[in-house]
Amino acid sequence: MKRNIGSVDRTIRIVAGLVLIAAVLLGLIGPWGWIGVIPLATGIFRFCPAYLPFGISTCGIKR
């Protein structure tokens, strides 16, 4: 898998995923909050399959 997620995008995904999962565990939101696993996983692996068809990459310019 070629990386297509940059540092800022990665940080936002990981934080958002952790916040959603924590909210579920604390009982603040319903079970739909487990969707936070998706941004967490994509942030950890630095790869988003949804970016592929569009050729999107938030990685920095390679020199």
Side-chain angles (χ1 to χ4, degrees):
M1 289 184 293
K2 185 177 178 184
R3 291 181 178 174
N4 62 1
I5 294 179
S7 299
V8 174
D9 192 4
R10 181 181 188 204
T11 303
I12 292 169
R13 287 170 183 263
I14 291 172
V15 169
L18 289 174
V19 166
L20 283 170
I21 293 168
V24 171
L25 295 175
L26 294 172
L28 300 174
I29 57 176
W32 63 268
W34 286 108
I35 197 84
V37 170
I38 295 170
L40 179 62
T42 58
I44 289 171
F45 293 112
R46 299 188 77 164
F47 176 76
C48 180
Y51 281 3
L52 284 180
F54 304 105
I56 299 171
S57 176
T58 58
C59 292
I61 298 172
K62 294 182 180 178
R63 295 183 179 157

